[in-house]
Amino acid sequence: QVQLQESGPGLVKPSETLSLTCAVSGYSISSGYYWGWIRQPPGKGLEWIGSIYHSGSTYYNPSLKSRVTISVDTSKNQFSLKLSSVTAADTAVYYCARLLIVVVPAATVPVGTFDYWGQGTLVTVSS
Amino acid sequence: DIQMTQSPSTLSASVGDRVTITCRASQSISSWLAWYQQKPGKAPKLLIYKASSLESGVPSRFSGSGSGTEFTLTISSLQPDDFATYYCQQYNSYPFFGGGTKVEIK
C-alpha cells in the first residue's frame, strides 16, 4: 500500500521560504509515476502547486511558478517543496500526492488524477 | 486557463436522497474530469475519473456523467458517510480543481 507523509515546519515567517518534504513508502519513486503538491487554505478549495517525475522533471502552476521549487531524492524515496517569499496568503494545509497521468493532447504539463494522498500538514505564515 | 465552477456551493439533503452536483468548465475538457470527496481534516479521496469511471472500492451509489463543459456527480441514495465536500478536477490542461460543494445534513 502506497503511503505518503508530509513533514516540515508548521510556522514560517513572512518573506521567508516554506520547506516541506514528502516521504513515500510502499512504492519506489524511481519505479515511475509523477508526484505532486497540492494546498488548501483554511476553509477554501484545492490548488495544484506542481509535480515532479523521478527523473527530476518539474511542472508548476503558472500562478506560483516564480516562487516554487520541487525536487526529488530517490535515495531517500522522498520529494520536497520550497516556496519562497511567503505571505499570509500562503497559509494552508499542504498535501503531497501521487499523480496517475494520462496522455491528453491539449495538456502542456503531465496531467491526471491524484490517487494516493498524504494526510496533509498545516503551514501558517505569521511573524 | 480553464475555470471550473461547481454548483451549488452548499447542498442540504437527507439520508436516502438523490443528490446531484454540477461542475462546469469554461471551455471543453472532453471527458478529462475527476471527482473527489473530502471529509473535515482529511485528504481528498478519488471517486470518479474520466468523467464517469468509478475508482476501485468506491460504492456504486456514486456515478458521474457529462462531457465537454458540463458534468455531474450523482449520489443515488445519500448515506450518513457521504456528508462531505466534493471537488471536481479537470485534467485537460492543468490539474485544476473546482471550488467545492459541501453536502450537509438537512
Side-chain angles (χ1 to χ4, degrees):
Chain A
Q1 178 76 342
V2 180
Q3 293 185 317
L4 298 91
Q5 178 68 59
E6 306 88 350
S7 62
L11 181 64
V12 181
K13 290 182 168 55
S15 80
E16 295 190 344
T17 296
L18 177 160
S19 296
L20 295 173
T21 296
C22 180
V24 180
S25 59
Y27 187 84
S28 172
I29 287 180
S30 298
S31 297
Y33 286 104
Y34 285 77
W35 306 84
W37 288 97
I38 301 102
R39 70 179 183 178
Q40 184 172 37
K44 297 187 178 180
L46 299 160
E47 179 180 36
W48 171 69
I49 299 170
S51 301
I52 190 165
Y53 193 52
H54 69 82
S55 63
S57 298
T58 52
Y59 307 88
Y60 301 131
N61 186 324
S63 69
L64 297 169
K65 187 174 183 178
S66 63
R67 299 195 291 131
V68 174
T69 302
I70 297 176
S71 59
V72 64
D73 186 339
T74 54
S75 67
K76 294 182 179 179
N77 214 41
Q78 64 186 33
F79 59 103
S80 300
L81 168 71
K82 291 188 185 299
L83 181 66
S84 64
S85 305
V86 297
T87 70
D90 295 309
T91 294
V93 174
Y94 285 76
Y95 295 100
C96 58
R98 189 176 79 170
L99 176 60
L100 184 60
I101 67 164
V102 295
V103 177
V104 176
T108 55
V109 301
V111 290
T113 55
F114 297 98
D115 60 349
Y116 288 97
W117 295 66
Q119 64 185 26
T121 187
L122 174 63
V123 178
T124 301
V125 178
S126 175
S127 55
Chain B
D1 292 350
I2 299 174
Q3 305 301 317
M4 306 301 295
T5 304
Q6 287 185 235
S7 61
S9 56
T10 305
L11 185 160
S12 297
S14 302
V15 173
D17 284 354
R18 181 181 180 87
V19 167
T20 299
I21 298 167
T22 298
C23 179
R24 290 187 174 87
S26 58
Q27 63 189 74
S28 177
I29 58 169
S30 186
S31 296
W32 303 117
L33 186 100
W35 290 97
Y36 298 81
Q37 175 193 67
Q38 186 180 34
K39 296 181 179 179
K42 300 294 186 181
K45 172 188 174 183
L46 179 64
L47 300 177
I48 302 277
Y49 61 95
K50 208 173 181 185
S52 60
S53 296
L54 198 65
E55 177 74 350
S56 176
V58 174
S60 59
R61 62 181 180 273
F62 291 92
S63 63
S65 64
S67 66
T69 62
E70 187 152 336
F71 302 85
T72 59
L73 172 70
T74 299
I75 309 172
S76 60
S77 178
L78 197 65
Q79 298 302 300
D81 191 48
D82 302 337
F83 291 98
T85 300
Y86 294 83
Y87 293 93
C88 61
Q89 178 226 323
Q90 66 95 351
Y91 50 105
N92 182 77
S93 55
Y94 292 93
F96 289 164
F97 295 84
T101 295
K102 182 179 181 180
V103 177
E104 61 180 25
I105 300 174
K106 190 173 184 179

